Amino acid sequence: MTSFASSRFSLARAAILACFLAIGGAGWQQAFAAAGPFADFPGSWEGNGKINIGPKSERIRCKATYSLKDNDESYVLIQITCASDSYKFDLAGDFEADSTNAINGTWSETSRGVGGSASGTAKGDRFQLHFQSTAITGNMVMTTKRNNQTVTIDTIGTKDKISASITLRRAAR
C-alpha cells in the first residue's frame, strides 16, 4: 500500500508540476516574445556625420527623436534634424512594420517641402527603406545596436546627388 500511495503522490506532484510549467511557460513566452523591430528606437539621439552634396563634403551635427505610436514596437515616428555650415535637413517619418517586418509609411523633408511614400524591411538591428516622391527618391539604412545608431541616406534624381552618413548616440535619459 505504501508504493500505491507513493505513486499517487508522485502522480499528483507530476500533475502540479505540469500545470505550473504550462501556466508559467505561457508567461515566459510572453516575456521573451520577440520585440517589435522598433523596440530600440524610442528616445532622443545626438551625433554627427558627413554630408556630401555633389562633390562638396561637410561635417554635420544631428539630433533625432523617435517615439512609438501607442507603445507599439511595430510603429515608429521619427524626426531627424541635421545641419552643417551651409546645409540643413529636417526629415520626418511615420513607419509601420507588419508581421513579416515589411515596412510601409510616409516621410517628409520639411525644409524643402517634399515628401512621399516609403517601403522597406526590418531585419535584426537593420532598418532599410526606399523612399520616393515626385521630386526625389532615395534609400535610408538605420542600424541600431543598444545606444548607438548609424544612419546612411542616399538620394537619387536631385540636381546634385546628396548622401549623408551619421553616427548617433542615445542621449541620457
Side-chain angles (χ1 to χ4, degrees):
M1 189 143 186
T2 304
S3 78
F4 177 71
S6 175
S7 66
R8 270 183 48 200
F9 180 71
S10 294
L11 286 173
R13 276 196 323 197
I16 291 170
L17 180 60
C19 287
F20 176 77
L21 290 175
I23 293 169
W28 292 333
Q29 286 174 343
Q30 287 176 346
F32 293 108
F38 308 119
D40 290 335
F41 278 48
S44 296
W45 300 70
E46 297 177 355
N48 54 45
K50 183 171 78 168
I51 188 163
N52 299 308
I53 306 162
K56 184 179 173 185
S57 179
E58 296 183 23
R59 291 186 52 77
I60 54 174
R61 182 92 180 121
C62 302
K63 290 186 178 188
T65 304
Y66 308 122
S67 59
L68 301 176
K69 184 177 180 182
D70 300 326
N71 290 323
D72 183 348
E73 294 173 346
S74 64
Y75 200 118
V76 69
L77 305 170
I78 71 169
Q79 183 74 43
I80 302 173
T81 301
C82 296
S84 69
D85 289 338
S86 65
Y87 194 84
K88 179 180 179 181
F89 69 87
D90 193 6
L91 180 65
D94 185 337
F95 305 107
E96 185 173 16
D98 67 15
S99 61
T100 65
N101 286 338
I103 298 169
N104 286 295
T106 59
W107 66 277
S108 65
E109 203 288 302
T110 56
S111 63
R112 285 168 185 73
V114 297
S117 62
S119 61
T121 58
K123 291 183 182 176
D125 60 5
R126 187 178 170 97
F127 167 64
Q128 187 169 340
L129 279 180
H130 176 74
F131 56 90
Q132 56 191 17
S133 74
T134 57
I136 191 171
T137 63
N139 296 299
M140 180 170 74
V141 176
M142 302 171 88
T143 304
T144 307
K145 294 183 180 180
R146 304 190 129 213
N147 292 324
N148 298 295
Q149 185 177 75
T150 58
V151 180
T152 58
I153 302 169
D154 291 297
T155 64
I156 304 163
T158 60
K159 177 182 162 191
D160 289 319
K161 180 177 177 169
I162 300 171
S163 63
S165 177
I166 306 160
T167 301
L168 300 171
R169 181 148 179 84
R170 188 184 307 273
R173 293 181 189 205

mmCIF file of all heavy atoms in Angstrom, residues 37 40-41 122-127 141-146 148-150:
data_model
loop_
_atom_site.group_PDB
_atom_site.id
_atom_site.type_symbol
_atom_site.label_atom_id
_atom_site.label_comp_id
_atom_site.label_asym_id
_atom_site.label_seq_id
_atom_site.Cartn_x
_atom_site.Cartn_y
_atom_site.Cartn_z
ATOM 1 N N PRO A 37 10.270 45.517 -34.363
ATOM 2 C CA PRO A 37 11.505 45.974 -34.997
ATOM 3 C C PRO A 37 11.977 47.356 -34.536
ATOM 4 O O PRO A 37 13.135 47.701 -34.736
ATOM 5 C CB PRO A 37 11.161 45.976 -36.480
ATOM 6 C CG PRO A 37 9.681 46.098 -36.532
ATOM 7 C CD PRO A 37 9.179 45.375 -35.321
ATOM 8 N N ASP A 40 14.146 49.275 -29.983
ATOM 9 C CA ASP A 40 15.330 50.001 -29.504
ATOM 10 C C ASP A 40 15.365 51.464 -29.935
ATOM 11 O O ASP A 40 16.311 52.172 -29.613
ATOM 12 C CB ASP A 40 16.611 49.308 -29.999
ATOM 13 C CG ASP A 40 16.839 47.977 -29.315
ATOM 14 O OD1 ASP A 40 16.343 47.795 -28.186
ATOM 15 O OD2 ASP A 40 17.517 47.127 -29.910
ATOM 16 N N PHE A 41 14.366 51.939 -30.649
ATOM 17 C CA PHE A 41 14.397 53.301 -31.187
ATOM 18 C C PHE A 41 14.004 54.407 -30.201
ATOM 19 O O PHE A 41 14.618 55.464 -30.235
ATOM 20 C CB PHE A 41 13.474 53.401 -32.410
ATOM 21 C CG PHE A 41 14.091 52.923 -33.682
ATOM 22 C CD1 PHE A 41 14.762 51.727 -33.766
ATOM 23 C CD2 PHE A 41 13.964 53.675 -34.834
ATOM 24 C CE1 PHE A 41 15.313 51.286 -34.957
ATOM 25 C CE2 PHE A 41 14.509 53.251 -36.037
ATOM 26 C CZ PHE A 41 15.181 52.061 -36.090
ATOM 27 N N ALA A 122 12.690 45.420 -42.061
ATOM 28 C CA ALA A 122 13.429 45.453 -40.799
ATOM 29 C C ALA A 122 13.913 44.037 -40.555
ATOM 30 O O ALA A 122 13.122 43.091 -40.548
ATOM 31 C CB ALA A 122 12.523 45.905 -39.658
ATOM 32 N N LYS A 123 15.223 43.881 -40.392
ATOM 33 C CA LYS A 123 15.806 42.565 -40.131
ATOM 34 C C LYS A 123 16.839 42.726 -39.035
ATOM 35 O O LYS A 123 17.841 43.426 -39.236
ATOM 36 C CB LYS A 123 16.457 41.989 -41.379
ATOM 37 C CG LYS A 123 15.474 41.612 -42.463
ATOM 38 C CD LYS A 123 16.166 40.984 -43.648
ATOM 39 C CE LYS A 123 15.120 40.669 -44.722
ATOM 40 N NZ LYS A 123 15.718 40.150 -45.925
ATOM 41 N N GLY A 124 16.576 42.111 -37.904
ATOM 42 C CA GLY A 124 17.501 42.220 -36.786
ATOM 43 C C GLY A 124 17.672 43.663 -36.374
ATOM 44 O O GLY A 124 16.698 44.353 -36.100
ATOM 45 N N ASP A 125 18.905 44.149 -36.370
ATOM 46 C CA ASP A 125 19.174 45.523 -35.955
ATOM 47 C C ASP A 125 19.186 46.503 -37.129
ATOM 48 O O ASP A 125 19.538 47.655 -36.981
ATOM 49 C CB ASP A 125 20.500 45.598 -35.192
ATOM 50 C CG ASP A 125 21.688 45.125 -36.027
ATOM 51 O OD1 ASP A 125 21.524 44.814 -37.230
ATOM 52 O OD2 ASP A 125 22.790 45.052 -35.465
ATOM 53 N N ARG A 126 18.772 46.046 -38.314
ATOM 54 C CA ARG A 126 18.849 46.857 -39.545
ATOM 55 C C ARG A 126 17.461 47.194 -40.072
ATOM 56 O O ARG A 126 16.611 46.325 -40.261
ATOM 57 C CB ARG A 126 19.633 46.075 -40.587
ATOM 58 C CG ARG A 126 19.930 46.830 -41.846
ATOM 59 C CD ARG A 126 20.769 45.914 -42.757
ATOM 60 N NE ARG A 126 20.910 46.448 -44.073
ATOM 61 C CZ ARG A 126 21.961 47.142 -44.486
ATOM 62 N NH1 ARG A 126 22.942 47.382 -43.652
ATOM 63 N NH2 ARG A 126 22.017 47.581 -45.720
ATOM 64 N N PHE A 127 17.263 48.455 -40.358
ATOM 65 C CA PHE A 127 16.025 49.017 -40.867
ATOM 66 C C PHE A 127 16.379 49.664 -42.201
ATOM 67 O O PHE A 127 17.230 50.546 -42.250
ATOM 68 C CB PHE A 127 15.552 50.036 -39.817
ATOM 69 C CG PHE A 127 14.467 50.987 -40.187
ATOM 70 C CD1 PHE A 127 13.204 50.542 -40.493
ATOM 71 C CD2 PHE A 127 14.687 52.353 -40.149
ATOM 72 C CE1 PHE A 127 12.188 51.431 -40.791
ATOM 73 C CE2 PHE A 127 13.682 53.256 -40.435
ATOM 74 C CZ PHE A 127 12.427 52.798 -40.755
ATOM 75 N N VAL A 141 19.250 53.648 -44.572
ATOM 76 C CA VAL A 141 19.527 52.449 -43.776
ATOM 77 C C VAL A 141 19.871 52.907 -42.369
ATOM 78 O O VAL A 141 20.696 53.803 -42.177
ATOM 79 C CB VAL A 141 20.701 51.636 -44.369
ATOM 80 C CG1 VAL A 141 21.035 50.450 -43.477
ATOM 81 C CG2 VAL A 141 20.376 51.169 -45.777
ATOM 82 N N MET A 142 19.214 52.290 -41.390
ATOM 83 C CA MET A 142 19.489 52.579 -39.982
ATOM 84 C C MET A 142 19.876 51.273 -39.305
ATOM 85 O O MET A 142 19.153 50.282 -39.419
ATOM 86 C CB MET A 142 18.258 53.172 -39.305
ATOM 87 C CG MET A 142 17.760 54.439 -39.950
ATOM 88 S SD MET A 142 16.174 54.977 -39.295
ATOM 89 C CE MET A 142 16.732 55.960 -37.918
ATOM 90 N N THR A 143 20.993 51.282 -38.614
ATOM 91 C CA THR A 143 21.421 50.115 -37.848
ATOM 92 C C THR A 143 21.536 50.551 -36.393
ATOM 93 O O THR A 143 22.259 51.505 -36.089
ATOM 94 C CB THR A 143 22.774 49.579 -38.360
ATOM 95 O OG1 THR A 143 22.645 49.297 -39.755
ATOM 96 C CG2 THR A 143 23.163 48.307 -37.628
ATOM 97 N N THR A 144 20.802 49.861 -35.516
ATOM 98 C CA THR A 144 20.746 50.236 -34.109
ATOM 99 C C THR A 144 21.291 49.106 -33.250
ATOM 100 O O THR A 144 20.823 47.970 -33.340
ATOM 101 C CB THR A 144 19.294 50.544 -33.686
ATOM 102 O OG1 THR A 144 18.762 51.515 -34.583
ATOM 103 C CG2 THR A 144 19.225 51.055 -32.267
ATOM 104 N N LYS A 145 22.283 49.431 -32.448
ATOM 105 C CA LYS A 145 22.860 48.477 -31.501
ATOM 106 C C LYS A 145 22.933 49.153 -30.144
ATOM 107 O O LYS A 145 23.756 50.042 -29.942
ATOM 108 C CB LYS A 145 24.241 48.027 -31.959
ATOM 109 C CG LYS A 145 24.189 47.221 -33.246
ATOM 110 C CD LYS A 145 25.534 46.724 -33.669
ATOM 111 C CE LYS A 145 25.348 45.944 -34.969
ATOM 112 N NZ LYS A 145 26.563 45.407 -35.484
ATOM 113 N N ARG A 146 21.978 48.774 -29.295
ATOM 114 C CA ARG A 146 21.862 49.350 -27.950
ATOM 115 C C ARG A 146 21.745 50.864 -28.017
ATOM 116 O O ARG A 146 20.777 51.386 -28.501
ATOM 117 C CB ARG A 146 22.982 48.891 -27.045
ATOM 118 C CG ARG A 146 23.048 47.371 -26.959
ATOM 119 C CD ARG A 146 23.969 46.923 -25.910
ATOM 120 N NE ARG A 146 23.206 45.981 -25.113
ATOM 121 C CZ ARG A 146 23.358 45.830 -23.835
ATOM 122 N NH1 ARG A 146 24.230 46.534 -23.183
ATOM 123 N NH2 ARG A 146 22.636 44.963 -23.194
ATOM 124 N N ASN A 148 23.694 52.977 -29.725
ATOM 125 C CA ASN A 148 24.377 53.523 -30.895
ATOM 126 C C ASN A 148 23.563 53.234 -32.154
ATOM 127 O O ASN A 148 22.976 52.171 -32.287
ATOM 128 C CB ASN A 148 25.770 52.909 -31.044
ATOM 129 C CG ASN A 148 26.648 53.233 -29.864
ATOM 130 O OD1 ASN A 148 26.969 54.392 -29.633
ATOM 131 N ND2 ASN A 148 27.020 52.229 -29.094
ATOM 132 N N GLN A 149 23.582 54.199 -33.054
ATOM 133 C CA GLN A 149 22.840 54.031 -34.294
ATOM 134 C C GLN A 149 23.621 54.692 -35.433
ATOM 135 O O GLN A 149 24.171 55.778 -35.268
ATOM 136 C CB GLN A 149 21.467 54.681 -34.175
ATOM 137 C CG GLN A 149 20.575 54.463 -35.382
ATOM 138 C CD GLN A 149 19.212 55.067 -35.165
ATOM 139 O OE1 GLN A 149 19.063 56.278 -35.230
ATOM 140 N NE2 GLN A 149 18.220 54.227 -34.920
ATOM 141 N N THR A 150 23.667 54.015 -36.562
ATOM 142 C CA THR A 150 24.220 54.624 -37.767
ATOM 143 C C THR A 150 23.084 54.818 -38.763
ATOM 144 O O THR A 150 22.190 53.973 -38.863
ATOM 145 C CB THR A 150 25.337 53.765 -38.400
ATOM 146 O OG1 THR A 150 24.816 52.481 -38.717
ATOM 147 C CG2 THR A 150 26.526 53.636 -37.467
#
